[in-house]
Short mmCIF file of all heavy atoms in Angstrom, two decimals:
data_model
loop_
_atom_site.label_atom_id
_atom_site.label_comp_id
_atom_site.label_asym_id
_atom_site.label_seq_id
_atom_site.Cartn_x
_atom_site.Cartn_y
_atom_site.Cartn_z
N PRO A 7 42.39 -39.02 52.61
CA PRO A 7 43.54 -38.14 52.40
C PRO A 7 44.38 -38.63 51.22
O PRO A 7 44.57 -39.83 51.05
CB PRO A 7 44.33 -38.25 53.70
CG PRO A 7 43.37 -38.82 54.69
CD PRO A 7 42.42 -39.67 53.91
N LEU A 8 44.84 -37.71 50.41
CA LEU A 8 45.73 -38.02 49.29
C LEU A 8 47.06 -37.33 49.61
O LEU A 8 47.24 -36.15 49.28
CB LEU A 8 45.14 -37.50 47.97
CG LEU A 8 43.73 -38.01 47.64
CD1 LEU A 8 43.18 -37.28 46.41
CD2 LEU A 8 43.75 -39.51 47.41
N PRO A 9 47.96 -38.04 50.29
CA PRO A 9 49.19 -37.41 50.76
C PRO A 9 49.91 -36.61 49.67
O PRO A 9 50.13 -37.09 48.57
CB PRO A 9 50.04 -38.61 51.22
CG PRO A 9 49.03 -39.66 51.56
CD PRO A 9 47.90 -39.46 50.57
N GLY A 10 50.22 -35.38 50.02
CA GLY A 10 50.91 -34.50 49.10
C GLY A 10 50.01 -33.83 48.08
O GLY A 10 50.45 -32.90 47.39
N LEU A 11 48.78 -34.31 47.91
CA LEU A 11 47.87 -33.74 46.90
C LEU A 11 46.71 -32.99 47.53
O LEU A 11 46.38 -31.88 47.11
CB LEU A 11 47.30 -34.85 46.01
CG LEU A 11 48.29 -35.58 45.12
CD1 LEU A 11 47.59 -36.71 44.38
CD2 LEU A 11 48.94 -34.62 44.13
N GLY A 12 46.04 -33.60 48.50
CA GLY A 12 44.84 -33.00 49.07
C GLY A 12 43.97 -34.08 49.67
O GLY A 12 44.45 -34.94 50.38
N THR A 13 42.68 -34.04 49.35
CA THR A 13 41.77 -35.02 49.91
C THR A 13 40.67 -35.35 48.91
O THR A 13 40.34 -34.54 48.07
CB THR A 13 41.16 -34.51 51.24
OG1 THR A 13 40.43 -35.55 51.85
CG2 THR A 13 40.26 -33.33 51.02
N ARG A 14 40.12 -36.56 49.04
CA ARG A 14 39.00 -36.98 48.22
C ARG A 14 37.83 -37.26 49.16
O ARG A 14 37.98 -37.96 50.15
CB ARG A 14 39.35 -38.25 47.44
CG ARG A 14 38.19 -38.83 46.68
CD ARG A 14 38.57 -40.12 45.98
NE ARG A 14 37.38 -40.78 45.45
CZ ARG A 14 37.40 -41.69 44.50
NH1 ARG A 14 38.55 -42.07 43.98
NH2 ARG A 14 36.29 -42.23 44.08
N GLN A 15 36.68 -36.69 48.83
CA GLN A 15 35.47 -36.93 49.59
C GLN A 15 34.43 -37.45 48.61
O GLN A 15 34.21 -36.85 47.56
CB GLN A 15 34.95 -35.63 50.22
CG GLN A 15 35.89 -35.07 51.27
CD GLN A 15 35.36 -33.79 51.84
OE1 GLN A 15 35.45 -32.75 51.22
NE2 GLN A 15 34.82 -33.87 53.04
N ASP A 16 33.82 -38.58 48.95
CA ASP A 16 32.80 -39.11 48.05
C ASP A 16 31.72 -39.87 48.82
O ASP A 16 31.87 -40.16 50.01
CB ASP A 16 33.41 -39.97 46.95
CG ASP A 16 34.26 -41.12 47.45
OD1 ASP A 16 34.29 -41.38 48.66
OD2 ASP A 16 34.89 -41.77 46.62
N PHE A 17 30.64 -40.13 48.13
CA PHE A 17 29.52 -40.85 48.71
C PHE A 17 28.84 -41.64 47.60
O PHE A 17 29.07 -41.39 46.42
CB PHE A 17 28.52 -39.90 49.38
CG PHE A 17 27.86 -38.95 48.42
CD1 PHE A 17 26.61 -39.27 47.89
CD2 PHE A 17 28.45 -37.77 48.05
CE1 PHE A 17 25.98 -38.40 47.00
CE2 PHE A 17 27.84 -36.90 47.16
CZ PHE A 17 26.60 -37.22 46.63
N THR A 18 28.01 -42.61 48.02
CA THR A 18 27.27 -43.42 47.06
C THR A 18 25.83 -42.94 47.02
O THR A 18 25.19 -42.79 48.05
CB THR A 18 27.32 -44.91 47.46
OG1 THR A 18 28.70 -45.31 47.55
CG2 THR A 18 26.60 -45.77 46.44
N THR A 19 25.35 -42.71 45.80
CA THR A 19 23.97 -42.26 45.63
C THR A 19 23.01 -43.44 45.80
O THR A 19 23.43 -44.61 45.79
CB THR A 19 23.74 -41.66 44.24
OG1 THR A 19 23.90 -42.70 43.26
CG2 THR A 19 24.71 -40.52 43.97
N ARG A 20 21.74 -43.15 45.92
CA ARG A 20 20.72 -44.19 46.04
C ARG A 20 20.75 -45.11 44.83
O ARG A 20 20.49 -46.30 44.94
CB ARG A 20 19.35 -43.56 46.18
CG ARG A 20 18.27 -44.58 46.44
CD ARG A 20 16.90 -44.00 46.52
NE ARG A 20 16.87 -42.76 47.31
CZ ARG A 20 15.82 -42.01 47.48
NH1 ARG A 20 14.69 -42.35 46.94
NH2 ARG A 20 15.87 -40.90 48.19
N SER A 21 21.12 -44.56 43.67
CA SER A 21 21.16 -45.37 42.45
C SER A 21 22.45 -46.18 42.32
O SER A 21 22.63 -46.92 41.36
CB SER A 21 20.99 -44.48 41.22
OG SER A 21 22.08 -43.57 41.13
N GLY A 22 23.37 -46.03 43.30
CA GLY A 22 24.59 -46.83 43.29
C GLY A 22 25.80 -46.17 42.66
O GLY A 22 26.85 -46.80 42.55
N HIS A 23 25.70 -44.92 42.27
CA HIS A 23 26.85 -44.21 41.71
C HIS A 23 27.67 -43.59 42.84
O HIS A 23 27.11 -43.11 43.82
CB HIS A 23 26.39 -43.09 40.77
CG HIS A 23 25.79 -43.59 39.50
ND1 HIS A 23 24.45 -43.85 39.38
CD2 HIS A 23 26.35 -43.88 38.31
CE1 HIS A 23 24.20 -44.28 38.16
NE2 HIS A 23 25.34 -44.32 37.48
N ARG A 24 28.99 -43.63 42.69
CA ARG A 24 29.86 -42.91 43.63
C ARG A 24 30.21 -41.57 43.00
O ARG A 24 30.68 -41.50 41.88
CB ARG A 24 31.13 -43.69 43.94
CG ARG A 24 30.84 -44.83 44.90
CD ARG A 24 32.07 -45.37 45.61
NE ARG A 24 32.62 -44.52 46.65
CZ ARG A 24 32.06 -44.33 47.86
NH1 ARG A 24 30.94 -44.90 48.16
NH2 ARG A 24 32.65 -43.56 48.75
N ILE A 25 29.95 -40.51 43.77
CA ILE A 25 30.22 -39.15 43.32
C ILE A 25 31.14 -38.52 44.35
O ILE A 25 30.93 -38.69 45.56
CB ILE A 25 28.92 -38.34 43.18
CG1 ILE A 25 28.03 -38.98 42.12
CG2 ILE A 25 29.23 -36.88 42.84
CD1 ILE A 25 26.68 -38.33 41.99
N GLY A 26 32.16 -37.80 43.86
CA GLY A 26 33.08 -37.21 44.81
C GLY A 26 33.74 -35.96 44.30
O GLY A 26 33.58 -35.56 43.15
N VAL A 27 34.49 -35.36 45.21
CA VAL A 27 35.25 -34.16 44.90
C VAL A 27 36.66 -34.38 45.43
O VAL A 27 36.85 -34.81 46.56
CB VAL A 27 34.63 -32.92 45.57
CG1 VAL A 27 35.53 -31.70 45.38
CG2 VAL A 27 33.24 -32.66 45.03
N ILE A 28 37.64 -34.09 44.57
CA ILE A 28 39.03 -34.07 45.01
C ILE A 28 39.39 -32.61 45.23
O ILE A 28 39.22 -31.78 44.32
CB ILE A 28 39.97 -34.72 43.98
CG1 ILE A 28 39.61 -36.20 43.81
CG2 ILE A 28 41.42 -34.54 44.41
CD1 ILE A 28 40.40 -36.90 42.73
N THR A 29 39.83 -32.30 46.44
CA THR A 29 40.26 -30.94 46.77
C THR A 29 41.78 -30.95 46.84
O THR A 29 42.36 -31.61 47.69
CB THR A 29 39.67 -30.49 48.12
OG1 THR A 29 38.24 -30.61 48.05
CG2 THR A 29 40.05 -29.06 48.43
N TYR A 30 42.40 -30.27 45.89
CA TYR A 30 43.85 -30.22 45.85
C TYR A 30 44.37 -29.14 46.79
O TYR A 30 43.69 -28.14 47.05
CB TYR A 30 44.33 -29.95 44.42
CG TYR A 30 44.04 -31.09 43.49
CD1 TYR A 30 42.88 -31.11 42.73
CD2 TYR A 30 44.90 -32.17 43.40
CE1 TYR A 30 42.59 -32.16 41.88
CE2 TYR A 30 44.63 -33.24 42.56
CZ TYR A 30 43.48 -33.23 41.81
OH TYR A 30 43.19 -34.28 40.98
N ARG A 31 45.56 -29.36 47.30
CA ARG A 31 46.16 -28.41 48.25
C ARG A 31 46.32 -27.02 47.66
O ARG A 31 46.34 -26.04 48.38
CB ARG A 31 47.52 -28.92 48.73
CG ARG A 31 47.38 -30.13 49.61
CD ARG A 31 48.69 -30.66 50.03
NE ARG A 31 49.41 -29.65 50.82
CZ ARG A 31 50.55 -29.87 51.39
NH1 ARG A 31 51.13 -31.02 51.28
NH2 ARG A 31 51.15 -28.93 52.08
N ASP A 32 46.45 -26.93 46.34
CA ASP A 32 46.65 -25.61 45.73
C ASP A 32 45.32 -24.89 45.49
O ASP A 32 45.29 -23.84 44.88
CB ASP A 32 47.45 -25.71 44.43
CG ASP A 32 46.73 -26.51 43.36
OD1 ASP A 32 45.59 -26.96 43.59
OD2 ASP A 32 47.32 -26.70 42.29
N GLY A 33 44.21 -25.49 45.95
CA GLY A 33 42.92 -24.82 45.84
C GLY A 33 42.06 -25.29 44.69
O GLY A 33 40.91 -24.89 44.58
N ARG A 34 42.60 -26.15 43.79
CA ARG A 34 41.81 -26.65 42.67
C ARG A 34 40.84 -27.72 43.18
O ARG A 34 41.06 -28.34 44.21
CB ARG A 34 42.70 -27.29 41.60
CG ARG A 34 43.58 -26.32 40.87
CD ARG A 34 44.46 -27.01 39.83
NE ARG A 34 45.35 -27.98 40.47
CZ ARG A 34 45.37 -29.28 40.17
NH1 ARG A 34 44.59 -29.77 39.24
NH2 ARG A 34 46.19 -30.11 40.79
N PHE A 35 39.80 -27.96 42.38
CA PHE A 35 38.82 -29.00 42.68
C PHE A 35 38.62 -29.87 41.44
O PHE A 35 38.77 -29.41 40.32
CB PHE A 35 37.47 -28.38 43.04
CG PHE A 35 37.52 -27.53 44.27
CD1 PHE A 35 37.75 -26.17 44.18
CD2 PHE A 35 37.33 -28.08 45.52
CE1 PHE A 35 37.80 -25.38 45.31
CE2 PHE A 35 37.37 -27.30 46.66
CZ PHE A 35 37.60 -25.94 46.55
N GLU A 36 38.26 -31.12 41.66
CA GLU A 36 37.93 -32.04 40.58
C GLU A 36 36.68 -32.81 40.99
O GLU A 36 36.66 -33.46 42.03
CB GLU A 36 39.09 -33.00 40.31
CG GLU A 36 38.85 -33.92 39.13
CD GLU A 36 40.03 -34.83 38.86
OE1 GLU A 36 41.10 -34.64 39.47
OE2 GLU A 36 39.87 -35.73 38.03
N LEU A 37 35.65 -32.72 40.17
CA LEU A 37 34.42 -33.47 40.39
C LEU A 37 34.59 -34.82 39.70
O LEU A 37 34.97 -34.87 38.53
CB LEU A 37 33.23 -32.72 39.79
CG LEU A 37 31.88 -33.42 39.86
CD1 LEU A 37 31.41 -33.55 41.30
CD2 LEU A 37 30.85 -32.64 39.04
N ILE A 38 34.33 -35.92 40.42
CA ILE A 38 34.49 -37.25 39.82
C ILE A 38 33.23 -38.07 39.99
O ILE A 38 32.51 -37.95 40.97
CB ILE A 38 35.70 -38.01 40.42
CG1 ILE A 38 35.56 -38.11 41.94
CG2 ILE A 38 37.01 -37.35 40.05
CD1 ILE A 38 36.61 -39.00 42.59
N VAL A 39 32.97 -38.89 38.99
CA VAL A 39 31.86 -39.84 39.02
C VAL A 39 32.45 -41.20 38.70
O VAL A 39 33.11 -41.37 37.67
CB VAL A 39 30.76 -39.49 38.00
CG1 VAL A 39 29.64 -40.51 38.03
CG2 VAL A 39 30.22 -38.09 38.25
N SER A 40 32.24 -42.15 39.60
CA SER A 40 32.81 -43.48 39.41
C SER A 40 31.94 -44.32 38.50
O SER A 40 30.73 -44.09 38.38
CB SER A 40 32.96 -44.19 40.76
OG SER A 40 33.85 -43.48 41.57
N ASP A 41 32.56 -45.30 37.88
CA ASP A 41 31.84 -46.24 37.02
C ASP A 41 30.82 -47.00 37.85
O ASP A 41 31.12 -47.45 38.96
CB ASP A 41 32.86 -47.19 36.39
CG ASP A 41 32.22 -48.15 35.42
OD1 ASP A 41 32.11 -47.80 34.23
OD2 ASP A 41 31.82 -49.24 35.85
N HIS A 42 29.60 -47.12 37.35
CA HIS A 42 28.53 -47.79 38.09
C HIS A 42 28.87 -49.25 38.38
O HIS A 42 28.56 -49.77 39.45
CB HIS A 42 27.21 -47.69 37.32
CG HIS A 42 26.03 -48.19 38.09
ND1 HIS A 42 25.57 -47.57 39.23
CD2 HIS A 42 25.23 -49.25 37.90
CE1 HIS A 42 24.54 -48.22 39.70
NE2 HIS A 42 24.30 -49.25 38.92
N GLU A 43 29.53 -49.92 37.42
CA GLU A 43 29.88 -51.33 37.58
C GLU A 43 31.12 -51.53 38.44
O GLU A 43 31.25 -52.55 39.11
CB GLU A 43 30.09 -51.97 36.20
CG GLU A 43 28.88 -51.90 35.28
CD GLU A 43 27.65 -52.60 35.87
OE1 GLU A 43 27.81 -53.67 36.49
OE2 GLU A 43 26.55 -52.05 35.72
N ASP A 44 32.05 -50.57 38.39
CA ASP A 44 33.31 -50.67 39.13
C ASP A 44 33.54 -49.35 39.87
O ASP A 44 34.08 -48.41 39.31
CB ASP A 44 34.46 -50.95 38.17
CG ASP A 44 35.79 -51.08 38.89
OD1 ASP A 44 35.82 -51.00 40.15
OD2 ASP A 44 36.81 -51.25 38.21
N PRO A 45 33.15 -49.27 41.15
CA PRO A 45 33.25 -48.00 41.88
C PRO A 45 34.67 -47.47 42.03
O PRO A 45 34.87 -46.30 42.32
CB PRO A 45 32.64 -48.31 43.25
CG PRO A 45 32.29 -49.74 43.27
CD PRO A 45 32.56 -50.33 41.94
N ASP A 46 35.67 -48.34 41.82
CA ASP A 46 37.06 -47.86 41.91
C ASP A 46 37.53 -47.21 40.60
O ASP A 46 38.60 -46.62 40.55
CB ASP A 46 37.99 -49.03 42.25
CG ASP A 46 37.75 -49.53 43.66
OD1 ASP A 46 37.35 -48.73 44.53
OD2 ASP A 46 37.93 -50.74 43.89
N LYS A 47 36.74 -47.34 39.54
CA LYS A 47 37.10 -46.78 38.24
C LYS A 47 36.35 -45.47 38.03
O LYS A 47 35.14 -45.40 38.20
CB LYS A 47 36.73 -47.77 37.13
CG LYS A 47 37.11 -47.32 35.75
CD LYS A 47 36.72 -48.38 34.73
CE LYS A 47 36.99 -47.92 33.32
NZ LYS A 47 36.51 -48.92 32.34
N VAL A 48 37.09 -44.42 37.65
CA VAL A 48 36.48 -43.12 37.41
C VAL A 48 35.90 -43.11 36.00
O VAL A 48 36.61 -43.33 35.02
CB VAL A 48 37.50 -41.98 37.58
CG1 VAL A 48 36.91 -40.63 37.18
CG2 VAL A 48 38.01 -41.94 39.02
N ALA A 49 34.59 -42.89 35.90
CA ALA A 49 33.91 -42.84 34.60
C ALA A 49 33.98 -41.46 33.98
O ALA A 49 34.03 -41.31 32.77
CB ALA A 49 32.46 -43.28 34.75
N ALA A 50 33.99 -40.43 34.82
CA ALA A 50 34.06 -39.05 34.32
C ALA A 50 34.66 -38.16 35.40
O ALA A 50 34.46 -38.39 36.59
CB ALA A 50 32.67 -38.55 33.96
N SER A 51 35.41 -37.17 34.95
CA SER A 51 35.93 -36.18 35.89
C SER A 51 35.94 -34.82 35.21
O SER A 51 36.09 -34.74 33.99
CB SER A 51 37.34 -36.55 36.37
OG SER A 51 38.27 -36.42 35.32
N VAL A 52 35.76 -33.81 36.01
CA VAL A 52 35.74 -32.44 35.50
C VAL A 52 36.56 -31.57 36.45
O VAL A 52 36.28 -31.54 37.65
CB VAL A 52 34.30 -31.89 35.43
CG1 VAL A 52 34.29 -30.44 34.93
CG2 VAL A 52 33.42 -32.77 34.58
N ASP A 53 37.59 -30.90 35.91
CA ASP A 53 38.33 -29.93 36.70
C ASP A 53 37.47 -28.69 36.86
O ASP A 53 36.86 -28.23 35.89
CB ASP A 53 39.65 -29.56 36.02
CG ASP A 53 40.64 -30.71 36.06
OD1 ASP A 53 40.63 -31.46 37.04
OD2 ASP A 53 41.43 -30.83 35.10
N LEU A 54 37.42 -28.16 38.07
CA LEU A 54 36.60 -26.98 38.33
C LEU A 54 37.45 -25.87 38.93
O LEU A 54 38.30 -26.13 39.78
CB LEU A 54 35.48 -27.33 39.32
CG LEU A 54 34.48 -28.39 38.89
CD1 LEU A 54 33.57 -28.77 40.06
CD2 LEU A 54 33.65 -27.89 37.72
N THR A 55 37.20 -24.66 38.49
CA THR A 55 37.82 -23.51 39.13
C THR A 55 37.08 -23.23 40.43
O THR A 55 36.01 -23.80 40.69
CB THR A 55 37.73 -22.26 38.23
OG1 THR A 55 36.34 -21.90 38.12
CG2 THR A 55 38.34 -22.50 36.87
N THR A 56 37.64 -22.37 41.21
CA THR A 56 36.98 -22.00 42.46
C THR A 56 35.59 -21.41 42.18
O THR A 56 34.62 -21.74 42.87
CB THR A 56 37.85 -20.99 43.23
OG1 THR A 56 39.11 -21.60 43.49
CG2 THR A 56 37.21 -20.60 44.56
N ASP A 57 35.49 -20.58 41.17
CA ASP A 57 34.19 -19.98 40.83
C ASP A 57 33.19 -21.04 40.39
O ASP A 57 32.02 -21.01 40.78
CB ASP A 57 34.35 -18.95 39.71
CG ASP A 57 35.03 -17.69 40.17
OD1 ASP A 57 35.11 -17.49 41.38
OD2 ASP A 57 35.46 -16.91 39.30
N GLU A 58 33.65 -22.00 39.59
CA GLU A 58 32.75 -23.07 39.11
C GLU A 58 32.32 -23.97 40.28
O GLU A 58 31.17 -24.38 40.37
CB GLU A 58 33.45 -23.89 38.03
CG GLU A 58 33.69 -23.10 36.75
CD GLU A 58 34.72 -23.73 35.84
OE1 GLU A 58 35.52 -24.56 36.31
OE2 GLU A 58 34.75 -23.36 34.65
N THR A 59 33.26 -24.26 41.18
CA THR A 59 32.95 -25.08 42.34
C THR A 59 31.91 -24.38 43.22
O THR A 59 30.96 -24.99 43.69
CB THR A 59 34.22 -25.35 43.16
OG1 THR A 59 35.17 -26.00 42.32
CG2 THR A 59 33.93 -26.22 44.37
#
Side-chain angles (χ1 to χ4, degrees):
L8 304 172
L11 294 176
T13 188
R14 174 183 170 160
Q15 294 179 283
D16 56 8
F17 65 95
T18 303
T19 65
R20 186 183 317 176
S21 64
H23 290 90
R24 284 199 73 73
I25 297 175
V27 173
I28 297 175
T29 304
Y30 293 94
R31 290 177 62 175
D32 63 2
R34 292 179 299 121
F35 298 92
E36 184 178 351
L37 176 67
I38 56 172
V39 179
S40 297
D41 183 89
H42 187 66
E43 300 300 322
D44 181 2
D46 292 329
K47 182 179 176 185
V48 174
S51 69
V52 179
D53 289 327
L54 299 172
T55 66
T56 301
D57 288 345
E58 293 163 341
T59 302

